[in-house]
């Protein structure tokens, strides 16, 4: 009955403490109710990372599963549950170590006990522990079969001692498909992909031409390699309408464990909204097409619950693709619930246009996380940046036009409720992650309800005289925000500073600290687990100062922004990143 301890011990030589085995487990030194309350603290959480061997399987292929767990000093025993979920039907089937995959009607913990009699264990530290596959402690490999074609996920949950409240979870999402098909180089008529198939972007771009549309149903996987990229021309449209349980995934064609940033190109959308490039039309990076025009309401389609991973191929020196490039895209386009993960260049970049975005997660991207230039005047709300300090630049790199800082329309986005997490919660001169906000080249901006923490240099750096003039005129507004633990890498530098390309004396710190702007500096935002790259929790703790309604600024009631009464991208209860996002490092 107590094979879970014995089996894990046989793999890692680990002897659990704190809970006695061999009969009825002895009670921990605290009552279960007290343990559950302790789990609500802001203390460390374990990191849990599940990974399979592929993300797309053909019938007849085997699905294996391994797990890494880092206790991170967490002392409270946990119960362990593992299940397979069919994302099409919602059916859940649990595993235990005695019986493997159980019928849908049975629910046990991994040790085979019912929820009313669960076994609590100290959280082990394990690496590359096989759960499913040859020698797996829960069973052999799963078989991909024709009757299972669709989206699935394998989930490992660490629950509290009651077995009912999920404390930490990791999921491995994957698809079983009938076939993998090559996308054509051009789509000239309306096309609808089949979610029972995956699609290959094989070392060349696929262009959706003017007048054509590409519909990508929920749960569809596109696999890229080399210079493979998906490009929407001006006048073309994309309808990538995923769901929380079945996002549209554009990812590397490499096997899990071998995926890296720069494995393939990325997603580029060209529209006919205004840009401030002379002549009104620009040419996209990497020969990705013309963009720009005179229609601020231009509609390039829908991006909803879309994940772009391991992209950003370099076409030539200093010419890399962004994860998602919005090039002259208009506000008729819907863009919400987007993640860009491990891109070699910027996460998301706006080249002019008027497109609005909502619920955006940018993780482990190597250059700037959010970039705008050439006249972007859109809106953004609920955005999270988490940088990996091994390869990262600025949280925001904001420009108007580098060649002529005064060109119109001037970049001037309105941004509310963002949480920007740099890669350095402590001094480390070997790591990257530079400025929280680099605002330059004459851009204007409104940024409110922001959290900026963990950046190695300045929290806010303003450069070029044209930008300072905009700030002096009240067109660079940073209010109702929290700045904490920045500039650790270079403590001799100010947290708020001017760049080297300025001749105008301007008191940036005075602007930030003006009581009328209601910013707070040096105040711990008390985010739950923001620097955890594998299984983060971006929510504020229940006692976080971000939840003080007296410091938040209500966004405009304009039909786009949602009303909020907190600072940052999340409140304490609702995590909009769950299920559809991915933090896998490879």
């Amino acid at each position: 009955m107590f094979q879970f301890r014995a089996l894990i011990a046989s793999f890692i030589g680990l002897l659990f403490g704190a809970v006695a085995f061999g009969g009825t487990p002895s009670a921990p030194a605290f009552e279960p109710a007290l343990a559950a309350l302790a789990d609500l603290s802001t203390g460390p959480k374990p990191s849990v990372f599940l990974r399979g061997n592929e993300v797309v399987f053909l019938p007849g292929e085997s699905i294996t599963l391994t797990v890494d767990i880092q206790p991170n000093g967490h002392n409270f025993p946990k119960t362990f549950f593992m299940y397979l979920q069919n994302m099409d039907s919602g059916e859940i089937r649990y595993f235990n170590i005695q019986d493997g995959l159980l019928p849908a009607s049975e629910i046990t913990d991994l040790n085979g006990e019912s929820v009313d009699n669960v076994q609590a264990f100290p959280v082990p530290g394990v690496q590359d522990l096989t759960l499913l596959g040859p020698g797996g402690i829960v069973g052999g490999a799963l078989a991909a079969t024709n009757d299972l074609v669709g989206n699935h996920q394998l989930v490992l949950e660490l629950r509290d001692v009651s077995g009912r409240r999920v404390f930490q979870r990791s999921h491995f999402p994957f698809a079983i498909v009938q076939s993998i098909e090559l996308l054509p180089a051009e789509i000239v008529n309306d096309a609808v992909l089949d979610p029972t198939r995956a699609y290959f972007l094989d070392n060349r771009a696929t262009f959706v031409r003017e007048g054509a549309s590409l519909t990508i149903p929920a749960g569809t996987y596109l696999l890229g390699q080399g210079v493979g990229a998906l490009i929407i021309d001006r006048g073309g449209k994309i309808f990538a309408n995923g769901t929380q349980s079945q996002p549209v995934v554009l990812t590397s064609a490499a096997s899990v464990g071998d995926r890296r940033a720069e494995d393939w190109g990325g997603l580029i959308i060209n529209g006919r909204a205004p840009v401030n490039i002379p002549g009104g039309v620009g040419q996209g990076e990497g020969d990705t097409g013309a963009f720009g025009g005179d229609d601020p309401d231009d509609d390039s389609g829908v991006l909803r619950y879309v994940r772009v991973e391991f992209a950003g191929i370099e076409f030539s020196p200093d010419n890399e693709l962004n994860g998602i490039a919005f090039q002259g895209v208009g506000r008729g386009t819907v863009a919400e619930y987007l993640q860009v993960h491990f891109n070699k260049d910027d996460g998301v970049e706006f080249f002019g246009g008027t497109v609005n975005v909502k619920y955006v997660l940018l993780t482990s991207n190597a250059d700037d996380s959010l970039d705008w230039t050439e006249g972007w005047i859109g809106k953004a709300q609920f955005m999270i940046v988490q940088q990996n300090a091994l390869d990262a630049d600025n949280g925001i790199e904001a420009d108007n036009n580098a060649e002529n800082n005064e060109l119109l329309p001037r970049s001037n986005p309105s941004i509310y409720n963002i949480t920007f997490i740099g890669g350095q919660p402590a001094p480390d001169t070997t790591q990257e992650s530079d400025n929280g906000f680099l605002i330059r080249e004459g851009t204007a901006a409104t940024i409110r309800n922001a959290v900026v923490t963990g950046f190695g240099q300045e929290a806010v750096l303003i450069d070029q005289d044209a930008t300072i003039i905009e700030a002096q005129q009240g067109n660079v507004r940073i209010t109702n925000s929290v700045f904490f633990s920045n500039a650790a890498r270079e403590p001799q530098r100010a947290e708020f500073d001017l760049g080297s390309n300025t001749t105008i004396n301007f008191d940036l710190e005075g602007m930030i600290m003006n009581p009328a702007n209601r910013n707070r500096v040096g105040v711990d935002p008390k985010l739950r687990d923001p620097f955890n790259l594998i299984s983060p929790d971006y929510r504020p703790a229940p006692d976080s100062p971000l939840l003080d309604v007296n410091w938040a600024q209500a966004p405009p009631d304009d039909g786009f922004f949602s009303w909020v009464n907190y600072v940052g991208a999340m409140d304490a209860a609702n995590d909009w990143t769950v299920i559809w996002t991915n933090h896998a490092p490879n």
Side-chain angles (χ1 to χ4, degrees), residues 94-111:
Y94 284 82
F95 293 83
N96 67 46
I97 59 175
Q98 291 92 349
D99 306 306
L101 186 62
L102 302 174
S105 59
E106 295 185 27
I107 302 174
T108 75
D109 66 7
L110 265 179
N111 203 47

Side-chain angles (χ1 to χ4, degrees), residues 77-339:
K78 290 285 170 285
T79 57
F80 295 76
F81 287 76
M82 178 175 155
Y83 60 84
L84 170 68
Q85 184 174 13
N86 185 316
M87 306 308 285
D88 299 311
S89 67
E91 179 187 69
I92 290 176
R93 296 179 64 185
Y94 284 82
F95 293 83
N96 67 46
I97 59 175
Q98 291 92 349
D99 306 306
L101 186 62
L102 302 174
S105 59
E106 295 185 27
I107 302 174
T108 75
D109 66 7
L110 265 179
N111 203 47
E113 299 293 339
S114 69
V115 176
D116 295 325
N117 192 37
V118 292
Q119 305 296 310
F121 300 95
V123 178
V126 298
Q127 187 171 2
D128 295 325
L129 179 67
T130 301
L131 297 176
L132 296 173
I137 65 170
V138 187
L142 293 178
T145 59
N146 281 303
D147 60 328
L148 291 177
V149 166
N151 292 121
H152 305 268
Q153 64 173 353
L154 286 157
V155 179
L156 180 66
E157 292 181 342
L158 278 59
R159 302 186 186 181
D160 65 12
V161 294
S162 74
R164 288 179 168 83
R165 190 176 73 86
V166 176
F167 180 77
Q168 186 64 286
R169 72 191 295 275
S170 181
H171 71 131
F172 167 61
F174 62 95
I176 300 173
V177 298
Q178 295 173 349
S179 62
I180 300 175
E181 300 183 359
L182 181 66
L183 274 183
E186 290 187 307
I187 295 174
V188 296
N189 298 304
D190 293 350
V192 181
L193 302 187
D194 181 348
T196 68
R197 291 170 169 80
Y199 294 86
F200 196 21
L201 293 161
D202 182 17
N203 207 32
R204 58 162 171 73
T206 290
F207 287 85
V208 178
R209 296 304 189 186
E210 180 178 2
S213 68
L214 175 65
T215 298
I216 309 176
T220 305
Y221 278 71
L222 277 66
L223 308 174
Q225 72 174 13
V227 295
L230 180 59
I231 302 170
I232 314 302
D233 279 347
R234 289 195 302 172
K237 292 189 178 183
I238 180 172
F239 296 98
N241 208 348
T243 66
Q244 184 183 36
S245 61
Q246 297 184 82
V248 170
V249 180
L250 291 78
T251 189
S252 168
S255 297
V256 175
D258 295 325
R259 298 178 296 178
R260 300 288 186 273
E262 202 178 4
D263 274 354
W264 65 288
L267 174 61
I268 300 94
I269 304 176
N270 297 304
R272 289 197 171 104
V275 299
N276 65 19
I277 299 170
V281 176
Q283 293 294 324
E285 293 178 312
D287 296 323
T288 54
F291 65 90
D294 58 3
D295 183 4
D297 297 315
D298 190 41
D299 180 359
S300 294
V302 174
L303 297 180
R304 179 179 288 120
Y305 286 109
V306 174
R307 201 167 73 230
V308 178
E309 307 171 334
F310 308 107
I313 191 76
E314 184 179 60
F315 282 94
S316 60
D318 299 321
N319 190 7
E320 297 162 328
L321 290 184
N322 304 292
I324 304 177
F326 292 96
Q327 301 183 158
V329 177
R331 60 187 170 219
T333 308
V334 175
E336 59 184 12
Y337 296 100
L338 309 177
Q339 182 186 13

Side-chain angles (χ1 to χ4, degrees), residues 329-520:
V329 177
R331 60 187 170 219
T333 308
V334 175
E336 59 184 12
Y337 296 100
L338 309 177
Q339 182 186 13
V340 178
H341 181 60
F342 262 104
N343 199 75
K344 184 62 175 175
D345 198 32
D346 301 330
V348 169
E349 183 162 5
F350 298 90
F351 296 85
T354 55
V355 65
N356 305 321
V357 296
K358 211 169 193 177
Y359 300 106
V360 178
L361 177 64
L362 305 174
T363 48
S364 293
N365 297 300
D367 196 359
D368 307 307
S369 300
L370 168 64
D371 199 333
W372 72 73
T373 186
E374 295 171 353
W376 180 47
I377 55 172
K379 305 170 186 177
Q381 188 180 23
F382 307 126
M383 179 178 289
I384 295 171
V385 162
Q386 185 199 50
Q387 292 197 337
N388 185 327
L390 296 178
D391 195 4
D393 288 341
N394 305 296
I396 288 176
E397 184 177 276
D399 299 334
N400 183 42
N401 185 292
E403 303 301 323
N404 182 345
N405 293 173
E406 301 300 335
L407 286 177
L408 300 178
R410 187 181 302 275
S411 295
N412 189 13
S414 296
I415 301 172
Y416 282 72
N417 294 94
I418 62 176
T419 298
F420 275 46
I421 302 156
Q424 302 182 84
D428 187 341
T429 58
T430 68
Q431 298 193 356
E432 298 188 14
S433 193
D434 296 332
N435 305 290
F437 302 159
L438 173 56
I439 302 173
R440 63 184 192 179
E441 307 286 10
T443 188
T446 296
I447 303 174
R448 291 187 166 129
N449 299 341
V451 178
V452 182
T453 184
F455 287 87
Q457 297 180 6
E458 284 82 4
V460 180
L461 180 67
I462 291 185
D463 206 1
Q464 275 84 34
D465 288 349
T467 324
I468 293 176
I469 292 171
E470 288 299 304
Q472 290 175 326
Q473 294 176 347
N475 297 327
V476 176
R477 295 173 287 270
I478 302 172
T479 74
N480 306 87
S481 297
V482 172
F483 301 91
F484 179 71
S485 190
N486 298 292
R489 190 171 76 223
E490 300 182 26
Q492 75 278 7
R493 300 175 69 165
E495 193 162 357
F496 309 102
D497 206 354
L498 303 182
S500 60
N501 299 302
T502 58
T503 63
I504 299 174
N505 186 25
F506 178 65
D507 185 5
L508 175 60
E509 183 172 359
M511 183 190 84
I512 297 291
M513 297 305 297
N514 185 330
N517 287 328
R518 301 189 63 76
N519 293 310
R520 290 173 284 179

Side-chain angles (χ1 to χ4, degrees), residues 30-52:
F30 42 81
E31 294 297 326
L34 294 177
L37 286 174
D39 277 353
L40 292 174
S41 72
T42 57
K45 275 191 175 184
S47 294
V48 183
F49 173 46
L50 282 185
R51 63 183 180 278

